Amino acid sequence: MLHQALRRFGQKLVHRPPLKEPVAEDDPQRRLSTLDLVALGVGRTVSVGVYVLAGEVVSNQAGPSIVICFLVAGLSSVLSGLCYAEITARVPLSGSSYLYTYVTIGELWAFITGWNLIFSLVADTANVTRAWILAFANLLGNQISQTLRERILLYVPQVLAEYLVFFVVGLVLLLMELQTLNHSQFFLITKVITLVKLLVLGFVIISGFIKGDLHNWKLTEEDYIKAGLNDTSSLSPLGSGGFVPFGLEGILHGAATCFYTFIGFHNIFERVEEAQNPQHSVPMGIVISLFICLLVYFGVSSALTLMVPYYKLQPGSILPEAFLHIGWAPAYYVVAFGFLCSLSSSLLGSMLPIRQLIHKMAKDGLLFPVLGRIETGTYAPIVATVIFGITAPVMAVFFGLTDLVNFRSLGSLLAYSLVALCVLILRYQPQRRNEENEAEVQEENGPAAERLTLQGLLFPGSSTPTPLSGRVVYVCSSLLALLLTLLCLVLAQWPVLHSGTAVWISLVVLLLVLITGITGVIWRQPQSSSPLYFKVPALPLVPLLSIFMNVYLMMQMTAGTWARFGVSTLIGLAIYFSYGIKHSVEGVGMANST
C-alpha cells in the first residue's frame, strides 16, 4: 500500500497534461505579422533597464567593460531565445515557461516555474515604480523627495516620509492597471513608442562616437589623482584602472545584472495564438528582436563609457545625465523623453503577464480559485491584480534597485534553463498524440518492451525515438542539469581555482568528464523527425550551453538575492503541497481515470 501510494504521489508530481488544439491558422484573431512581433519584442525588451542600470553596473561592477557584460548577457539570452523559438514551433500555444514546463517535465516543476515567474514579474513592476521616481526626481532636481521630507516630516516618521512617494506611485499604477485595456488599441501605440525609443538610443550611440574619448577606456591612477579622487596608491573603490578595472569577477557580476535588460521577449510567445503563421513568425520574431537589442545595448554602453569616465557615474545615475557631463543640456531632455517613453511602455505591459499567469495557474487548480476570478466586462482577474499591485510598491520600498533587478533576473534565468531542458528532452521523445493516455504508454513499457543494454545505449537499434530512448534522454538530461549546476558552483569559487588547489582542479576535471560522457550518450539517441519551421542547431550542445550560462549567471547573484528567492520558493511549495497537488485539474482527472 505504501509503495502504491508513493508511486501515485510521484506520478502526480511529473504528470503532464495533453496538448490542446491551437487556434486555427485562418482564425480572424491571428493578425500579428513577424514585423509586429519584432516590434513587440524590442519594445518590451529595450525598456527601463538600459536607462537606469548604467550607473549601477559601470560605477562599481564593471567600468568600461560593461560592453563585455552586455555581450555575455546577450549571448545567454540568444541561446535561450533559440530554445524558446523551437518550443513555440513545437507547441504553438500562447503561454509562458509555465506552460512549456508543464507539458514537458511535469506539474511540480511547472508550479515552481510559474510561482517564481509571478514574483519576478512583481519585482519588475516594482522596478518600474522606482524608475518613475528616479526619472521625475532627476528631471525636477530631486525636489519630490525634498518636498515630501519638508511637508510630511512633521506628521510621520522620517522613513515613511522618505518612501511615501513609492506608495503613491504604486497606487497610481494599480488604478491604471484596473482599467480596461484594449490590446488592439494599444498595439499601435506600442509600435510608435518602440520607434521613438530606438531613435533616441540611436542618437545616444551617434553622440557617444562624436563626443567620446577613447582615453576613458584606458584610465590610470594618474587620472584619478588629477580628478582629485585618489591621493594614495590604493584604487580599491575605483578598481585597477584600464578597460577592466574590476577584473573578471566584476564582468561576471555585471553580466548577471545586465541580463535584466534582455528580459522581455516573453511577450512574443505570449501572443502565439494571435500570430499569423506562428511556427515561422514567432521563432523569427524572437531571434531578430534579441539581435536588435544586443546591437542597441552594445552601442549604448560603448557610447556611455566613451563620453563619461566610469568613476563619474554613480549608483542612481540615469543615462540622460551623460549629456550634462559633455555640456549638451538640450540633449539631456531629448534622452529623458525617451526614458519616459520606455517607462510608459513598461507600464502598459508590466502587470498584464502577471494577470495572465495567475489566471492560468488558478484555472489549472494549482492556485486558489479566488485569484483567477474574472471581473465581468473587463475579463481581468481583479483579486490577483489588487494583491500583487499592492505587493509591487511594498517591494519597491524595502528593496533597492539592484536587489529587485537581480531577483527578477534570477527567476527568469531559472525559467530559461528549464525551457532549454525541455527542448533537449522533447527532441528525443517519440511522437505524442493528444489522445494518448498513460495506460497506453504503460502498455508499451510492459514485458515486451525493449530492455536497456550498454550496446543499445551507445548504438540504438532504431532510427526513430522509442519510449526507451526517450526515458534514457530524460534521465541523462536530468543528470546533466545536476552536474552543470555543481560545475557552476565550483567555478564560482574562482579565487580558489586560480590558486591551483589540486582538489578543486580534480573536481572540475571529474565533472567535465562525466558531463562529456553523458552528453555523448544523449547524442547517440535517435532524434524526432517531426517537421518544424525552426529547430535548435547543434543539439544537444546548444541547450546544454544555454543551461550552463544561465546557471553560471545565477551563481553570480548575491546571498541576499538567493535568500529572498528561497523564501518565495518555500512559500510557493507550501501552497502547492497543501492545496495545489490536491486540486490540480490534471491530477484530479488522472485519479478519476485510475
Side-chain angles (χ1 to χ4, degrees):
M1 292 292 293
L2 179 61
H3 174 71
Q4 292 180 350
L6 290 176
R7 185 170 180 270
R8 286 195 299 268
F9 180 75
Q11 286 178 342
K12 280 188 176 182
L13 296 182
V14 298
H15 178 68
R16 297 175 294 164
L19 294 178
K20 299 178 181 179
E21 289 296 327
V23 177
E25 292 282 346
D26 55 351
D27 192 280
Q29 75 180 62
R30 291 192 178 276
R31 57 187 180 276
L32 302 184
S33 64
T34 302
L35 180 61
D36 294 329
L37 294 175
V38 170
L40 184 67
V42 174
R44 190 69 183 93
T45 305
V46 180
S47 187
V48 297
V50 69
Y51 290 93
V52 300
L53 286 183
E56 301 286 339
V57 177
V58 172
S59 61
N60 54 21
Q61 288 186 352
S65 61
I66 187 178
V67 176
I68 303 178
C69 296
F70 275 117
L71 289 178
V72 173
L75 176 60
S76 178
S77 299
V78 168
L79 293 175
S80 299
L82 292 175
C83 295
Y84 270 102
E86 173 167 332
I87 205 165
T88 52
R90 190 178 294 277
V91 186
L93 297 170
S94 294
S96 63
S97 306
Y98 162 75
L99 172 65
Y100 303 137
T101 308
Y102 204 171
V103 300
T104 306
I105 57 179
E107 185 176 281
L108 176 61
W109 281 108
F111 180 87
I112 293 174
T113 302
W115 179 259
N116 284 312
L117 275 179
I118 290 172
F119 270 88
S120 298
L121 290 167
V122 172
D124 200 19
T125 306
N127 274 326
V128 176
T129 305
R130 273 195 166 272
W132 270 106
I133 294 300
L134 191 62
F136 281 109
N138 192 278
L139 288 172
L140 300 177
N142 292 316
Q143 295 178 6
I144 294 179
S145 299
Q146 182 179 355
T147 302
L148 284 173
R149 284 195 295 268
E150 293 175 354
R151 300 290 179 85
I152 304 178
L153 190 57
L154 299 175
Y155 307 101
V156 298
Q158 183 174 359
V159 174
L160 291 181
E162 182 73 26
Y163 294 116
L164 183 62
V165 66
F166 290 122
F167 287 103
V168 174
V169 174
L171 181 60
V172 172
L173 294 179
L174 174 62
L175 293 175
M176 294 184 69
E177 286 293 336
L178 290 179
Q179 299 175 7
T180 303
L181 298 179
N182 189 319
H183 300 299
S184 60
Q185 295 176 353
F186 281 112
F187 195 76
L188 178 60
I189 298 176
T190 300
K191 288 195 286 188
V192 172
I193 292 177
T194 300
L195 179 61
V196 171
K197 288 193 294 186
L198 291 179
L199 290 176
V200 170
L201 293 176
F203 171 75
V204 172
I205 295 172
I206 295 173
S207 302
F209 288 107
I210 293 176
K211 295 291 292 184
D213 184 0
L214 195 60
H215 180 70
N216 289 331
W217 283 6
K218 300 179 289 185
L219 297 175
T220 63
E221 182 182 355
E222 295 180 359
D223 296 298
Y224 302 136
I225 295 175
K226 289 179 182 179
L229 296 174
N230 223 342
D231 54 0
T232 67
S233 60
S234 173
L235 295 178
S236 55
L238 302 172
S240 59
F243 184 72
V244 189
F246 300 98
L248 178 62
E249 186 177 358
I251 292 177
L252 294 175
H253 286 298
T257 303
C258 289
F259 184 83
Y260 171 80
T261 60
F262 288 93
I263 298 173
F265 67 88
H266 60 81
N267 273 33
I268 295 178
F269 55 79
E270 287 170 359
R271 301 296 186 95
V272 170
E273 294 183 355
E274 299 178 39
Q276 302 169 359
N277 192 10
Q279 293 177 314
H280 176 265
S281 60
V282 172
M284 291 297 295
I286 292 173
V287 175
I288 294 174
S289 61
L290 281 175
F291 183 71
I292 292 174
C293 294
L294 179 59
L295 291 179
V296 170
Y297 291 151
F298 180 83
V300 170
S301 59
S302 300
L304 176 65
T305 51
L306 286 172
M307 283 193 294
V308 186
Y310 74 90
Y311 58 78
K312 290 187 178 181
L313 294 170
Q314 300 299 323
S317 300
I318 59 176
L319 184 62
E321 292 183 36
F323 290 91
L324 297 180
H325 288 285
I326 63 175
W328 285 15
Y332 168 83
Y333 295 98
V334 173
V335 180
F337 175 73
F339 187 15
L340 295 178
C341 287
S342 294
L343 290 172
S344 301
S345 62
S346 298
L347 174 63
L348 293 176
S350 59
M351 288 290 286
L352 181 60
I354 304 177
R355 300 192 309 203
Q356 292 175 333
L357 184 54
I358 292 174
H359 175 67
K360 176 62 177 172
M361 293 180 70
K363 188 177 178 181
D364 290 339
L366 299 180
L367 290 178
F368 306 111
V370 67
L371 294 176
R373 186 173 297 168
I374 300 295
E375 183 187 13
T376 304
T378 64
Y379 299 100
I382 185 72
V383 176
T385 304
V386 171
I387 292 175
F388 290 95
I390 294 174
T391 304
V394 171
M395 292 179 67
V397 168
F398 290 102
F399 302 116
L401 179 64
T402 305
D403 296 329
L404 293 169
V405 166
N406 288 338
F407 187 83
R408 172 71 168 108
S409 299
L410 188 56
S412 297
L413 284 167
L414 175 62
Y416 293 175
S417 301
L418 288 174
V419 167
L421 184 64
C422 293
V423 169
L424 185 60
I425 292 173
L426 280 176
R427 183 75 77 86
Y428 293 92
Q429 299 302 310
Q431 187 73 23
R432 184 184 177 205
R433 301 181 185 86
N434 293 346
E435 62 270 13
E436 278 186 341
N437 55 40
E438 296 295 330
E440 291 174 333
V441 174
Q442 291 176 2
E443 194 175 56
E444 289 180 346
N445 302 334
E450 54 183 330
R451 294 183 178 180
L452 182 62
T453 62
L454 181 60
Q455 181 178 359
L457 194 65
L458 298 176
F459 302 97
S462 174
S463 60
T464 58
T466 63
L468 177 62
S469 67
R471 288 196 302 274
V472 167
V473 172
Y474 194 100
V475 173
C476 289
S477 299
S478 302
L479 288 175
L480 279 176
L482 177 61
L483 292 173
L484 287 172
T485 302
L486 293 175
L487 178 62
C488 292
L489 278 171
V490 175
L491 293 179
Q493 311 300 319
W494 175 251
V496 179
L497 289 175
H498 192 63
S499 63
T501 306
V503 175
W504 290 97
I505 299 297
S506 301
L507 182 57
V508 170
V509 172
L510 176 62
L511 289 172
L512 289 175
V513 170
L514 291 174
I515 290 170
T516 303
I518 297 176
T519 302
V521 172
I522 293 179
W523 176 65
R524 293 296 301 165
Q525 305 308 308
Q527 294 187 25
S528 172
S529 58
S530 301
L532 295 176
Y533 282 97
F534 182 86
K535 287 186 177 182
V536 173
L539 219 72
L541 296 181
V542 170
L544 292 177
L545 183 59
S546 176
I547 294 172
F548 171 75
M549 292 196 67
N550 292 339
V551 174
Y552 194 65
L553 289 178
M554 292 168 68
M555 297 303 167
Q556 307 305 315
M557 303 298 179
T558 62
T561 302
W562 276 104
R564 288 183 285 272
F565 182 80
V567 170
S568 66
T569 302
L570 288 176
I571 294 173
L573 289 175
I575 293 175
Y576 175 72
F577 286 110
S578 63
Y579 177 84
I581 195 171
K582 301 175 184 176
H583 297 83
S584 167
V585 173
E586 295 297 332
V588 172
M590 184 181 67
N592 291 337
S593 63
T594 303

